[in-house]
Amino acid sequence: MLIVMKAGATDGQVEAVVRVIEELGYRAHAMPGASRTAIGITGNQGAVDPSHFENLPGVAEAVRVSKPYKLVTLDLRAEKTVVAVGDAAIGGDELAIIAGPCAIESRTQAFTVAEAIRRSGAKFFRGGAFKPRTSPYAFQGLGEDGLKILEEIRETFGLKIVTEALDEAGVDLVERYADVIQIGARSMQNFTLLRRVGKSRLPVLLKRGLSATLDEWLLAAEYIMSEGNYQVVLCERGIRTFAQHTRNTLDLSAVPAVRRISHLPVIVDPSHGTGKNFMVTPLARAGVAVGADGLIIEVHDQPDRALCDGAQALTLDQYEQLVAEVRAIHEVITPAAVT
Ligand code: PEP
Ligand code: MN
């Protein structure tokens, strides 16, 4: 059930509806929009009786939701969500660029890359301190020491930090040092982790699972939002197919498909989406052309020495070139953003 308020409804009228929802034992999610506020209801097992709401002052209509998700949908919020991260944003007019190494390996490596990211004008720095590796013997990340390096990068360069949490204890740590919590593809259906980040004050970058359908991915976002955290960014990072010419198949059709259903911003990861250095820039261009709100790109000062994902890492020069190209495309497809 979704309660749509009239355009002129007062804050008091919205609060009164929220109170009725809570008295029924449900949770209310008020989403103010440009022209009206809608209030999502979660926590109900069966159908909610619309007559509880229909005659309350300020209510335009009580709408039954037939889709499996409620809070991610355009029915709840017709305008796109802009996820604000301090003075930076994902989902606004500006193309969001998140770049950095797969893993934080050392202070020198991280600072060398961060300097180039800062120079490019990107606002977000990525780098894993906790790495979800296929082999238990592969480099697992520097842990909290890596987070401390990321914190120093934030202080030195003013970049916003995006980094992955693998488990709930990791979220506690990431919250202390970073600006955006990344939930990796392998964790997309770790429901206790999703609920935990749903209680966080930090925005969440939610990668699509390796074999997740659109509905499964959106329901993962719904888990986070149902706990009260509405700052979710979806990230298409490639899925498993029979293709052998790439590490994953970057499903760019997911971008307009998500757009049709959800108000959440969606970004593209051409690094994991291809796994190959020479494919990253072409697919980054395509991601922007198809309407992504941003890109997440792996960059390394010495890709041949990288401890993780070196084959897909761009050199600093390649990255600089990529940024110039994708910005040019973004300006063409969103003329309103050109100043
Ligand atoms: C990463 O961003 O380095 C990463 C591990 O991504 P994914 O979860 O998409 O594999
Ligand atoms: Mn990686």
Side-chain angles (χ1 to χ4, degrees), residues 102-161:
C102 178
I104 302 302
E105 299 170 11
S106 69
R107 195 173 175 282
T108 309
Q109 170 246 17
F111 268 70
T112 307
V113 179
E115 207 279 325
I117 304 308
R118 173 70 254 175
R119 203 166 354 106
S120 76
K123 304 242 169 83
F124 297 88
F125 185 75
R126 62 145 293 147
F130 301 102
K131 294 307 304 176
R133 304 305 299 277
T134 302
S135 165
Y137 309 118
F139 176 61
Q140 305 284 310
L142 296 180
E144 190 168 2
D145 288 343
L147 294 177
K148 287 181 179 161
I149 294 171
L150 286 168
E151 187 184 40
E152 258 193 86
I153 284 174
R154 174 166 60 181
E155 298 310 314
T156 308
F157 300 102
L159 293 162
K160 308 293 177 209
I161 303 300

Coordinates of all heavy atoms in Angstrom, one line a residue, residues 102-161:
C102 N 41.6 -1.3 -7.4 CA 40.7 -2.4 -6.9 C 40.9 -2.5 -5.4 O 40.0 -2.4 -4.6 CB 41.1 -3.7 -7.5 SG 40.0 -5.1 -6.9
A103 N 42.2 -2.6 -5.0 CA 42.5 -2.8 -3.5 C 43.5 -1.7 -3.1 O 44.4 -1.3 -3.9 CB 43.1 -4.2 -3.3
I104 N 43.4 -1.3 -1.9 CA 44.4 -0.4 -1.3 C 45.6 -1.4 -0.9 O 45.4 -2.3 -0.1 CB 43.9 0.3 0.0 CG1 42.7 1.2 -0.3 CG2 45.0 1.1 0.6 CD1 42.9 2.2 -1.4
E105 N 46.8 -1.1 -1.6 CA 47.9 -2.0 -1.4 C 49.0 -1.4 -0.5 O 49.6 -2.1 0.3 CB 48.5 -2.4 -2.7 CG 47.5 -3.1 -3.7 CD 48.0 -3.2 -5.1 OE1 49.2 -2.9 -5.3 OE2 47.2 -3.5 -6.0
S106 N 49.1 -0.1 -0.6 CA 50.1 0.6 0.2 C 49.7 2.1 0.2 O 49.0 2.5 -0.7 CB 51.5 0.4 -0.3 OG 51.6 1.2 -1.6
R107 N 50.3 2.8 1.1 CA 50.0 4.3 1.1 C 50.5 4.9 -0.1 O 49.8 5.8 -0.7 CB 50.8 4.8 2.4 CG 50.3 6.2 2.8 CD 50.9 6.6 4.1 NE 50.5 8.0 4.4 CZ 51.1 9.1 3.8 NH1 52.0 8.9 2.9 NH2 50.6 10.3 4.1
T108 N 51.7 4.5 -0.6 CA 52.3 5.2 -1.8 C 51.4 4.9 -3.0 O 51.1 5.8 -3.8 CB 53.7 4.6 -2.1 OG1 54.5 4.7 -0.8 CG2 54.4 5.3 -3.2
Q109 N 51.0 3.6 -3.2 CA 50.2 3.3 -4.3 C 48.9 4.1 -4.3 O 48.5 4.7 -5.3 CB 49.9 1.8 -4.3 CG 48.8 1.3 -5.3 CD 47.5 0.8 -4.6 OE1 47.3 1.1 -3.4 NE2 46.7 0.1 -5.3
A110 N 48.2 4.1 -3.1 CA 46.9 4.7 -3.0 C 47.0 6.2 -3.3 O 46.2 6.8 -4.0 CB 46.3 4.4 -1.7
F111 N 48.1 6.8 -2.7 CA 48.3 8.3 -2.9 C 48.6 8.6 -4.3 O 48.1 9.7 -4.8 CB 49.3 8.8 -1.9 CG 48.7 9.3 -0.6 CD1 48.2 8.4 0.3 CD2 48.7 10.7 -0.3 CE1 47.6 8.8 1.5 CE2 48.1 11.1 0.9 CZ 47.6 10.2 1.8
T112 N 49.4 7.8 -5.0 CA 49.8 8.1 -6.4 C 48.5 8.1 -7.3 O 48.3 9.0 -8.1 CB 50.8 7.1 -6.9 OG1 51.9 7.0 -6.0 CG2 51.3 7.4 -8.3
V113 N 47.7 7.1 -7.0 CA 46.4 7.0 -7.8 C 45.5 8.1 -7.5 O 44.9 8.8 -8.3 CB 45.8 5.6 -7.7 CG1 44.5 5.6 -8.5 CG2 46.7 4.5 -8.1
A114 N 45.3 8.4 -6.2 CA 44.4 9.4 -5.7 C 44.7 10.8 -6.3 O 43.8 11.6 -6.6 CB 44.4 9.5 -4.2
E115 N 46.0 11.1 -6.4 CA 46.5 12.4 -6.9 C 45.9 12.5 -8.4 O 45.4 13.6 -8.7 CB 48.0 12.4 -6.9 CG 48.6 13.8 -6.8 CD 48.7 14.5 -8.1 OE1 48.9 13.8 -9.2 OE2 48.4 15.7 -8.1
A116 N 46.0 11.4 -9.1 CA 45.5 11.5 -10.5 C 44.0 11.6 -10.6 O 43.4 12.3 -11.4 CB 46.0 10.2 -11.3
I117 N 43.3 10.9 -9.6 CA 41.8 11.0 -9.6 C 41.4 12.4 -9.3 O 40.5 13.0 -9.9 CB 41.3 10.0 -8.5 CG1 41.8 8.6 -8.8 CG2 39.7 10.1 -8.5 CD1 41.6 8.0 -10.1
R118 N 42.1 13.0 -8.3 CA 41.8 14.4 -7.9 C 42.0 15.3 -9.1 O 41.1 16.2 -9.4 CB 42.7 14.8 -6.7 CG 42.7 16.2 -6.3 CD 41.4 16.6 -5.6 NE 40.5 17.4 -6.5 CZ 39.3 17.8 -6.2 NH1 38.7 17.4 -5.1 NH2 38.7 18.6 -7.0
R119 N 43.1 15.1 -9.8 CA 43.4 16.0 -11.0 C 42.3 15.9 -12.1 O 42.1 16.9 -12.8 CB 44.8 15.6 -11.5 CG 45.5 16.7 -12.3 CD 47.0 16.4 -12.5 NE 47.5 15.2 -11.9 CZ 47.9 14.1 -12.6 NH1 47.6 14.0 -13.8 NH2 48.4 13.1 -11.9
S120 N 41.7 14.7 -12.2 CA 40.7 14.5 -13.3 C 39.4 15.3 -13.0 O 38.6 15.3 -13.8 CB 40.5 13.0 -13.4 OG 39.6 12.6 -12.3
G121 N 39.3 15.7 -11.7 CA 38.0 16.4 -11.4 C 37.0 15.4 -10.8 O 35.9 15.9 -10.5
A122 N 37.3 14.1 -10.8 CA 36.3 13.2 -10.2 C 36.2 13.5 -8.7 O 37.1 14.0 -8.0 CB 36.8 11.8 -10.3
K123 N 35.0 13.2 -8.1 CA 34.8 13.6 -6.7 C 34.9 12.4 -5.8 O 34.9 12.5 -4.6 CB 33.4 14.1 -6.6 CG 33.1 15.4 -7.5 CD 32.8 16.6 -6.6 CE 32.8 17.9 -7.4 NZ 31.6 18.1 -8.1
F124 N 35.0 11.1 -6.4 CA 34.9 9.9 -5.5 C 36.2 9.1 -5.8 O 36.5 8.8 -6.9 CB 33.7 9.1 -5.8 CG 32.4 9.8 -5.6 CD1 31.8 10.6 -6.6 CD2 31.7 9.7 -4.3 CE1 30.6 11.2 -6.3 CE2 30.5 10.3 -4.1 CZ 29.9 11.1 -5.1
F125 N 36.7 8.5 -4.7 CA 37.8 7.6 -4.7 C 37.4 6.3 -4.2 O 36.7 6.1 -3.2 CB 39.0 8.1 -3.9 CG 40.2 7.3 -3.9 CD1 41.1 7.4 -5.1 CD2 40.6 6.4 -2.9 CE1 42.2 6.7 -5.1 CE2 41.7 5.7 -3.0 CZ 42.6 5.8 -4.1
R126 N 37.7 5.2 -5.0 CA 37.3 3.9 -4.6 C 38.6 3.1 -4.2 O 39.7 3.4 -4.7 CB 36.6 3.1 -5.7 CG 37.4 2.9 -7.0 CD 37.1 1.5 -7.6 NE 37.5 0.4 -6.9 CZ 37.0 -0.7 -6.8 NH1 35.9 -1.0 -7.4 NH2 37.5 -1.7 -6.0
G127 N 38.5 2.1 -3.4 CA 39.6 1.2 -3.1 C 39.2 0.3 -2.0 O 38.6 0.7 -1.0
G128 N 39.5 -1.0 -2.2 CA 39.0 -2.0 -1.3 C 40.0 -2.2 -0.1 O 41.2 -2.3 -0.4
A129 N 39.5 -2.2 1.1 CA 40.3 -2.6 2.2 C 40.0 -4.1 2.6 O 40.8 -4.8 3.2 CB 40.0 -1.7 3.4
F130 N 38.7 -4.5 2.3 CA 38.3 -5.9 2.5 C 37.9 -6.4 1.1 O 37.0 -5.9 0.5 CB 37.1 -5.9 3.4 CG 37.3 -5.3 4.8 CD1 36.8 -4.0 5.1 CD2 38.0 -6.0 5.8 CE1 37.1 -3.4 6.3 CE2 38.2 -5.4 7.0 CZ 37.7 -4.2 7.3
K131 N 38.7 -7.4 0.7 CA 38.5 -7.9 -0.7 C 37.8 -9.2 -0.7 O 38.3 -10.2 -0.1 CB 39.8 -8.0 -1.5 CG 40.5 -6.7 -1.7 CD 39.7 -5.6 -2.4 CE 39.1 -6.0 -3.7 NZ 38.2 -5.0 -4.3
P132 N 36.7 -9.3 -1.5 CA 36.0 -10.6 -1.6 C 36.7 -11.5 -2.7 O 36.4 -11.4 -3.9 CB 34.6 -10.2 -2.0 CG 34.8 -9.0 -2.8 CD 36.1 -8.3 -2.3
R133 N 37.7 -12.3 -2.3 CA 38.5 -13.0 -3.3 C 38.0 -14.4 -3.5 O 37.6 -15.1 -2.5 CB 40.0 -13.0 -2.9 CG 40.6 -11.6 -2.7 CD 40.4 -10.7 -3.9 NE 41.0 -11.2 -5.1 CZ 42.3 -11.0 -5.4 NH1 43.1 -10.4 -4.6 NH2 42.8 -11.5 -6.5
T134 N 38.0 -14.9 -4.7 CA 37.6 -16.3 -5.0 C 38.4 -17.3 -4.3 O 37.9 -18.3 -3.7 CB 37.6 -16.5 -6.5 OG1 36.8 -15.5 -7.2 CG2 37.1 -17.9 -6.9
S135 N 39.7 -17.0 -4.2 CA 40.6 -17.9 -3.5 C 41.0 -17.4 -2.1 O 41.3 -16.2 -1.9 CB 41.9 -18.1 -4.2 OG 42.9 -18.7 -3.4
P136 N 40.9 -18.3 -1.1 CA 41.3 -17.8 0.3 C 42.8 -17.4 0.4 O 43.2 -16.8 1.4 CB 40.9 -19.0 1.2 CG 40.9 -20.2 0.3 CD 40.5 -19.7 -1.1
Y137 N 43.5 -17.8 -0.6 CA 45.0 -17.6 -0.6 C 45.4 -16.3 -1.3 O 46.5 -15.9 -1.2 CB 45.8 -18.8 -1.2 CG 45.3 -20.1 -0.5 CD1 44.7 -21.1 -1.3 CD2 45.4 -20.3 0.8 CE1 44.3 -22.3 -0.7 CE2 45.0 -21.5 1.4 CZ 44.4 -22.4 0.6 OH 43.9 -23.6 1.2
A138 N 44.4 -15.7 -2.0 CA 44.7 -14.4 -2.7 C 44.7 -13.3 -1.7 O 44.1 -13.4 -0.6 CB 43.6 -14.2 -3.8
F139 N 45.3 -12.2 -2.1 CA 45.4 -11.0 -1.2 C 44.0 -10.5 -0.8 O 43.1 -10.3 -1.6 CB 46.1 -9.8 -2.0 CG 46.1 -8.5 -1.3 CD1 46.8 -8.4 -0.1 CD2 45.5 -7.4 -1.9 CE1 46.9 -7.2 0.5 CE2 45.6 -6.2 -1.2 CZ 46.3 -6.0 0.0
Q140 N 43.8 -10.4 0.5 CA 42.5 -10.2 1.1 C 42.2 -8.7 1.4 O 41.2 -8.4 1.9 CB 42.3 -11.0 2.4 CG 42.5 -12.5 2.2 CD 41.4 -13.2 1.4 OE1 40.2 -13.1 1.8 NE2 41.7 -14.0 0.4
G141 N 43.2 -7.9 1.2 CA 43.1 -6.5 1.6 C 43.8 -6.2 2.9 O 44.1 -7.1 3.6
L142 N 44.0 -4.9 3.1 CA 44.8 -4.4 4.3 C 43.9 -4.3 5.5 O 44.4 -4.0 6.6 CB 45.5 -3.1 4.0 CG 46.6 -3.1 2.9 CD1 47.2 -1.7 2.8 CD2 47.7 -4.2 3.2
G143 N 42.6 -4.5 5.4 CA 41.7 -4.3 6.5 C 41.7 -2.9 7.0 O 41.8 -1.9 6.3
E144 N 41.7 -2.7 8.4 CA 41.5 -1.4 8.9 C 42.7 -0.5 8.6 O 42.5 0.7 8.4 CB 41.4 -1.5 10.5 CG 41.0 -0.1 11.1 CD 40.6 -0.2 12.5 OE1 40.6 -1.3 13.1 OE2 40.2 0.9 13.1
D145 N 43.9 -1.1 8.4 CA 45.0 -0.2 7.9 C 44.7 0.4 6.6 O 45.1 1.5 6.3 CB 46.3 -1.1 7.8 CG 46.9 -1.5 9.2 OD1 46.4 -0.8 10.2 OD2 47.7 -2.4 9.3
G146 N 44.0 -0.4 5.7 CA 43.6 0.2 4.4 C 42.6 1.3 4.6 O 42.7 2.3 3.9
L147 N 41.7 1.2 5.5 CA 40.7 2.2 5.8 C 41.4 3.5 6.3 O 41.0 4.6 5.9 CB 39.7 1.7 6.8 CG 38.8 0.6 6.3 CD1 37.8 0.2 7.5 CD2 37.9 1.0 5.1
K148 N 42.4 3.3 7.1 CA 43.2 4.5 7.6 C 43.8 5.3 6.4 O 43.9 6.5 6.4 CB 44.2 4.1 8.6 CG 43.5 3.7 9.9 CD 44.5 3.3 11.0 CE 43.7 2.9 12.3 NZ 44.5 2.1 13.2
I149 N 44.3 4.5 5.5 CA 44.9 5.2 4.3 C 43.8 5.9 3.5 O 44.0 7.1 3.1 CB 45.6 4.1 3.4 CG1 46.8 3.5 4.1 CG2 46.0 4.8 2.0 CD1 47.5 2.3 3.4
L150 N 42.7 5.3 3.4 CA 41.5 5.9 2.7 C 41.1 7.2 3.4 O 40.8 8.3 2.8 CB 40.3 5.0 2.6 CG 40.5 3.9 1.6 CD1 39.4 2.8 1.8 CD2 40.5 4.4 0.2
E151 N 41.1 7.2 4.7 CA 40.8 8.4 5.5 C 41.7 9.5 5.3 O 41.4 10.7 5.1 CB 40.7 8.0 7.0 CG 40.2 9.1 7.9 CD 40.3 8.8 9.4 OE1 41.3 8.2 9.8 OE2 39.4 9.1 10.1
E152 N 43.0 9.1 5.2 CA 44.1 10.1 4.9 C 43.9 10.7 3.5 O 44.1 11.9 3.3 CB 45.4 9.5 4.9 CG 46.2 9.7 6.2 CD 47.7 9.2 5.9 OE1 48.5 10.0 5.4 OE2 47.9 8.1 6.2
I153 N 43.4 9.9 2.5 CA 43.2 10.4 1.2 C 42.0 11.4 1.2 O 42.1 12.4 0.5 CB 42.9 9.2 0.2 CG1 44.3 8.5 -0.1 CG2 42.2 9.6 -1.0 CD1 44.2 7.3 -0.9
R154 N 41.0 11.1 2.0 CA 39.9 12.0 2.1 C 40.3 13.3 2.6 O 40.0 14.4 2.1 CB 38.8 11.4 3.0 CG 37.7 12.4 3.3 CD 36.5 11.7 3.9 NE 36.7 11.1 5.2 CZ 35.8 10.5 5.9 NH1 34.6 10.3 5.4 NH2 36.1 9.9 7.0
E155 N 41.2 13.3 3.6 CA 41.7 14.5 4.2 C 42.6 15.3 3.3 O 42.5 16.5 3.1 CB 42.5 14.3 5.5 CG 41.7 13.6 6.6 CD 40.4 14.3 6.9 OE1 40.4 15.5 7.0 OE2 39.4 13.6 7.0
T156 N 43.4 14.6 2.6 CA 44.4 15.2 1.7 C 43.8 15.8 0.4 O 44.2 16.9 0.0 CB 45.6 14.2 1.3 OG1 46.0 13.6 2.6 CG2 46.7 14.9 0.6
F157 N 43.0 15.0 -0.2 CA 42.5 15.4 -1.5 C 41.0 15.8 -1.6 O 40.5 16.3 -2.6 CB 42.6 14.2 -2.5 CG 44.1 13.7 -2.7 CD1 44.5 12.6 -2.0 CD2 45.0 14.5 -3.5 CE1 45.8 12.2 -2.2 CE2 46.3 14.1 -3.6 CZ 46.7 12.9 -3.0
G158 N 40.3 15.7 -0.5 CA 38.9 16.1 -0.4 C 38.0 15.2 -1.3 O 36.9 15.5 -1.6
L159 N 38.5 14.0 -1.5 CA 37.7 13.0 -2.3 C 36.8 12.2 -1.4 O 37.2 12.0 -0.2 CB 38.6 12.0 -3.0 CG 39.5 12.6 -4.2 CD1 40.7 11.7 -4.5 CD2 38.6 12.9 -5.4
K160 N 35.6 11.9 -1.9 CA 34.7 11.0 -1.1 C 35.1 9.6 -1.2 O 35.4 9.1 -2.3 CB 33.3 11.2 -1.5 CG 32.8 12.6 -1.7 CD 32.7 13.3 -0.3 CE 32.3 14.8 -0.5 NZ 32.9 15.6 0.6
I161 N 35.1 8.8 -0.1 CA 35.6 7.5 -0.1 C 34.5 6.5 -0.3 O 33.5 6.4 0.5 CB 36.4 7.2 1.2 CG1 37.5 8.2 1.4 CG2 36.9 5.8 1.2 CD1 38.6 8.3 0.3

